[in-house]
């Protein structure tokens, strides 16, 4: 063995060791491969499966020629850009989000919340109305900042070029997944894919993503100063407008009702607003958008319609949420709170009485 070969061998060992330790060490040598989702492989008719896979490939390419449904016939430059995004993805994202972007990476089973499954086109922290797709800027932002309080890292030191490319590749996986999902539902229900309707499914995917691009939601009123007085008004609204039903009177989310499931079929809880780690961002506008638009794929509803006639209440709630969120940071104690909402004074008195009798346990039903 020459010295060079030895060094190469050692490097390879170190590399394998590193990648087995961190899952990210070296780029994997085997080429990327996408596989059909379970919804497809469970279709009883293999010919229908083939037809469906062919349609998906025609519109999203293959893992070696990835393509956006919204960008048919990509130029060579666009193709290179997406391949670059794929390389970044396979180095930094795949261990959590999985090769198909279905959120089933090797690490996924150990994480709560689970890594996002992109294949439904549903994203949580968007600046678009409830139910809409995200804007590209929303995804760029989330990759920059990460999701505080979850395992989603921030990638703020990646070059801008890499971030844009990886986000566009996430959009490829998302649009591919969405089209596949729609077609699989149709194939399952109708036991065929009528060529007359197929173009509509493709158009739907394209339209949803294109609409999102121009659906930035702006606050109903400009942001006022977020004073303690506003926070106090916000607290009243929090208790009387249904927030505490899920988040608890104290914002910790320890209510009995507070267990639901998300659009991906996993259990989820209302955020602990006292944790000091707002996932959707710490800026007033971030919190505002969570309240106004709700959070896609979760039980958190949008309150735009509810506060249409009193838009300032949203800002009051923002003031309260931020005050609540920052409380631990300033080491203020979180007062012990009842687990159940009590909206009337009578209820409060009853609950307190019951609590006194049960050493501070949860308030009774009712
Ligand atoms: C260690 C695991 C991990 C790695 C690595 C990781 N993510 Fe995530 N990611 C997560 C988790 C967990 C969530 C879900 C957070 C939640 O539901 O609040 C998430 C969410 C997301 C979201 C969705 C945000 C939204 O608004 O719904 C995007 C987009 C995303 N990740 C992109 C990426 C990209 C791009 C990379 C690589 C550059 C990456 N992630 C690497 C764990 C990871
Ligand atoms: C039906 C139950 C429900 C109701 C009612 C509800 N929420 Fe939520 N809320 C949730 C859930 C669930 C989440 C967490 C979503 C996630 O990140 O997975 C959440 C998240 C949030 C967040 C984001 C926290 C973060 O980490 O960024 C804020 C802010 C919030 N809620 C405020 C409110 C306010 C204010 C109200 C009342 C106007 C309200 N919620 C009503 C269930 C609810």
């Amino acid at each position: 063995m020459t010295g060079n070969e030895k060094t190469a061998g050692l490097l390879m060992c170190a590399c394998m060791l590193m990648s087995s330790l961190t899952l990210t060490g070296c780029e994997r040598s085997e080429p990327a491969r996408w596989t059909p989702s379970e919804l497809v492989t469970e279709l009883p008719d293999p010919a229908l499966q083939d037809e469906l896979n062919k349609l998906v490939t025609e519109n999203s390419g293959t893992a070696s020629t990835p393509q956006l449904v919204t960008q048919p016939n990509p130029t060579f430059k666009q193709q290179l850009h997406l391949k670059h995004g794929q390389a970044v993805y396979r180095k930094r994202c795949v261990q959590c989000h999985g090769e198909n972007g279905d959120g089933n990476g090797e690490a996924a089973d150990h994480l709560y919340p689970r890594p996002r499954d992109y294949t439904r086109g549903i994203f949580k922290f968007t600046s678009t109305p409830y139910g809409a797709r995200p804007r590209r800027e929303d995804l760029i932002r989330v990759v920059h900042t990460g999701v505080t309080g979850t395992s989603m890292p921030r990638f703020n030191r990646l070059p801008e070029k890499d971030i844009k490319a990886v986000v566009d590749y996430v959009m490829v996986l998302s649009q591919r997944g969405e089209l596949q999902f729609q077609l699989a539902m149709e194939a399952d229900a109708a036991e065929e894919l009528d060529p007359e309707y197929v173009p509509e499914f493709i158009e739907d995917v394209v339209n949803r993503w294109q609409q999102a691009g121009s659906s930035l939601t702006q606050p109903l009123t400009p942001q006022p100063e977020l004073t303690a007085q506003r926070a106090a008004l916000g607290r009243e609204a929090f208790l009387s407008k249904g927030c505490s039903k899920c988040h608890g009177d104290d914002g910790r989310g320890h209510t009995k009702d507070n267990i639901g499931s998300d659009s991906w079929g996993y259990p989820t809880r209302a955020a602990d607003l006292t944790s000091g780690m707002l996932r959707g961002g710490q800026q007033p506008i971030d919190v505002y958008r969570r309240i106004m638009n709700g959070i896609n794929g979760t039980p958190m509803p949008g309150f735009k319609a509810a506060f249409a006639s009193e838009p300032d209440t949203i800002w009051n709630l923002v003031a309260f949420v931020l005050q609540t969120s920052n409380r631990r940071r300033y080491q203020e104690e979180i007062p012990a709170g009842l687990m159940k909402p009590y909206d009337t004074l009578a209820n409060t008195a009853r609950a307190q009485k019951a609590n006194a009798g049960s050493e501070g346990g949860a308030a009774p039903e009712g």
Side-chain angles (χ1 to χ4, degrees):
M1 232 194 237
T2 67
N4 268 352
E5 272 166 349
K6 250 191 212 153
T7 326
L10 275 176
L11 273 177
M12 235 177 88
C13 288
C15 190
M16 279 158 66
L17 187 70
M18 255 172 63
S19 59
S20 65
L21 282 178
T22 63
L23 303 168
T24 55
C26 301
E27 242 174 274
R28 293 152 185 237
S29 47
E30 75 274 26
R33 220 170 72 83
W34 292 340
T35 48
S37 75
E38 257 174 40
L39 284 176
V40 178
T41 55
E42 279 169 4
L43 289 172
D45 178 359
L48 190 54
Q49 286 189 27
D50 286 347
E51 196 185 331
L52 195 158
N53 291 334
K54 192 166 155 267
L55 282 168
V56 172
T57 304
E58 273 167 17
N59 290 281
S60 307
T62 63
S64 41
T65 56
Q67 175 189 323
L68 284 156
V69 180
T70 48
Q71 194 180 67
N73 312 314
T75 62
F76 184 60
K77 205 172 151 207
Q78 286 165 337
Q79 282 170 353
L80 280 184
H81 173 76
L82 292 177
K83 285 297 279 183
H84 177 61
Q86 182 182 62
V88 177
Y89 184 85
R90 297 189 89 213
K91 189 164 174 193
R92 306 190 183 268
C93 323
V94 74
Q95 66 273 30
C96 290
H97 292 282
E99 195 81 84
N100 294 304
D102 55 10
N104 285 327
E106 290 164 52
D109 282 343
H110 308 286
L111 304 174
Y112 179 85
R114 289 181 69 91
R116 182 74 63 258
D117 167 2
Y118 312 129
T119 62
R120 300 284 303 280
I122 303 172
F123 292 86
K124 286 186 186 176
F125 306 116
T126 68
S127 58
T128 51
Y130 190 79
R133 296 291 164 262
R135 294 157 70 236
R136 182 172 182 248
E137 292 82 351
D138 295 336
L139 300 179
I140 290 176
R141 193 195 92 126
V142 93
V143 176
H144 255 285
T145 59
V147 181
T148 315
T150 80
S151 59
M152 168 68 195
R154 66 167 68 135
F155 293 95
N156 53 341
R157 302 176 76 167
L158 273 189
E160 208 49 37
K161 175 174 181 264
D162 288 8
I163 293 200
K164 286 190 172 144
V166 79
V167 160
D168 289 336
Y169 186 67
V170 165
M171 282 166 58
V172 169
L173 295 174
S174 190
Q175 295 180 358
R176 170 182 180 266
E178 210 181 322
L179 180 62
Q180 179 174 252
F181 179 80
Q182 301 292 334
L183 292 175
M185 298 306 269
E186 173 66 11
D188 187 44
E191 293 177 17
E192 61 162 359
L193 286 169
D194 188 334
E196 205 185 317
Y197 297 123
V198 165
E200 279 178 34
F201 288 108
I202 300 163
E203 242 168 74
D204 282 349
V205 174
V206 171
N207 287 345
R208 279 195 287 264
W209 282 87
Q210 279 177 350
Q211 265 164 24
S214 54
S215 305
L216 172 67
T217 57
Q218 295 294 7
L220 303 172
T221 51
Q223 185 200 319
E225 200 179 329
L226 301 179
T227 57
Q229 199 188 357
R230 277 200 181 268
L233 290 172
R235 181 167 188 278
E236 274 172 32
F238 192 82
L239 296 176
S240 63
K241 304 284 185 183
C243 315
S244 52
K245 180 172 170 295
C246 295
H247 289 282
D249 291 359
D250 57 5
R252 276 186 296 176
H254 292 179
T255 72
K256 266 196 188 154
D257 296 342
N258 178 22
I259 186 91
S261 59
D262 62 22
S263 295
W264 300 273
Y266 293 104
T268 182
R269 295 179 160 281
D272 175 355
L273 299 175
T274 71
S275 71
M277 296 184 287
L278 292 171
R279 292 180 188 170
Q282 323 287 319
Q283 298 303 318
I285 184 67
D286 298 328
V287 178
Y288 189 100
R289 288 210 171 101
R290 300 291 82 75
I291 299 171
M292 178 161 97
N293 297 339
I295 302 182
N296 288 324
T298 82
M300 170 73 192
F303 286 86
K304 189 177 177 187
F307 294 129
S309 62
E310 41 170 331
D312 253 21
T313 303
I314 304 187
W315 285 120
N316 297 344
L317 284 163
V318 170
F320 173 68
V321 167
L322 286 173
Q323 186 194 57
T324 305
S325 172
N326 287 324
R327 216 177 317 168
R328 279 197 198 165
R329 198 163 302 155
Y330 301 131
Q331 305 204 321
E332 281 176 44
E333 272 180 57
I334 312 279
L338 293 165
M339 300 299 188
K340 276 289 268 187
Y342 44 90
D343 42 12
T344 63
L345 278 177
N347 259 345
T348 313
R350 216 172 38 186
Q352 275 170 347
K353 218 160 128 196
N355 248 13
S358 65
E359 293 176 31
E365 293 282 342

